[in-house]
Amino acid sequence: MNDTAASRLRQAVRRIEAATCERAATGYGPEEADDVAGTFATDGALGFDPFPFLRALHEAGSRAVVIGQVAGIMHGSTELTGDLDLLWDGTPGQARALREALTATGCTAPPDLSRPQVAYRVTGADGDLCTPALPWGGMDTEPCLARAVAAHDPEGFTIRYADVDDLILMRRSLGRPKDHRRANELEALRR
């Protein structure tokens, strides 16, 4: 199990806090992020701390996998973010675990988990919960769940996140400018 990935994410959260401590809220949330700058340029970056939710996922027995830029950071990306996106299998048992984690971290109106993609908001983070039923530019994301890697956080919980090859393929499949830029960065880090 990898301790470095969780440490990278903790360092990034500190960098996000330092970079946004004097930034005024704009009213733009992560759902309004543009395809170039990403969610770091939105209010999602203000107070961003995914660790309480990641711990709650672990404690609830969720097998959700961190995707998006948080997974990129865990692989060594230096770009910051303002949201936490997850891939999960869509099964009733995992829906119960997700609802438990959401409720434990301040989500007062849990999203409809029967849909392939739903937005959520908890204390410290928001983002999208995606299942393999979500069209992903032709990519089958279901195998990504089994290939996920695990990071051990020093505070005693495990974070599951997308394998670097899967994350690069996800980025290429989505094809937005920020995705190509971030895929290129991850490919360079692999060398």
Side-chain angles (χ1 to χ4, degrees), residues 88-155:
W88 67 291
D89 67 10
T91 63
Q94 286 299 299
R96 279 189 295 279
L98 271 176
R99 277 193 295 277
E100 182 180 324
L102 288 163
T103 302
T105 51
C107 182
T108 57
D112 177 4
L113 296 177
S114 67
R115 297 176 36 216
Q117 179 180 15
V118 293
Y120 75 91
R121 176 165 289 166
V122 295
T123 302
D126 55 2
D128 290 316
L129 302 172
C130 307
T131 70
L134 178 68
W136 206 282
M139 178 183 176
D140 179 7
T141 58
E142 188 161 358
C144 300
L145 294 167
R147 289 191 294 257
V149 291
H152 175 75
D153 186 81
E155 292 192 11

Side-chain angles (χ1 to χ4, degrees), residues 29-189:
E31 64 280 355
E32 298 161 306
D34 70 44
D35 289 344
V36 177
T39 59
F40 179 68
T42 71
D43 290 351
L46 304 177
F48 182 71
D49 181 1
F51 284 98
F53 187 44
L54 292 170
R55 176 187 281 279
L57 289 166
H58 171 85
E59 291 173 352
S62 172
R63 303 277 303 151
V65 173
V66 174
I67 57 174
Q69 187 53 16
V70 169
I73 289 167
M74 294 179 79
H75 285 292
S77 175
T78 59
E79 275 198 47
L80 301 177
T81 189
D83 70 342
L84 172 66
D85 298 324
L86 301 169
L87 178 66
W88 67 291
D89 67 10
T91 63
Q94 286 299 299
R96 279 189 295 279
L98 271 176
R99 277 193 295 277
E100 182 180 324
L102 288 163
T103 302
T105 51
C107 182
T108 57
D112 177 4
L113 296 177
S114 67
R115 297 176 36 216
Q117 179 180 15
V118 293
Y120 75 91
R121 176 165 289 166
V122 295
T123 302
D126 55 2
D128 290 316
L129 302 172
C130 307
T131 70
L134 178 68
W136 206 282
M139 178 183 176
D140 179 7
T141 58
E142 188 161 358
C144 300
L145 294 167
R147 289 191 294 257
V149 291
H152 175 75
D153 186 81
E155 292 192 11
F157 60 95
T158 300
I159 303 167
R160 297 181 73 232
Y161 62 108
D163 172 79
V164 69
D165 292 329
D166 287 333
L167 189 58
I168 290 168
L169 187 54
M170 286 176 168
R171 296 265 189 231
R172 297 278 183 227
S173 295
L174 290 172
R176 299 169 295 193
K178 68 179 181 179
D179 293 311
H180 285 298
R181 181 180 70 241
R182 291 170 176 175
N184 291 342
E185 179 189 27
L186 290 173
E187 287 173 342
L189 288 169

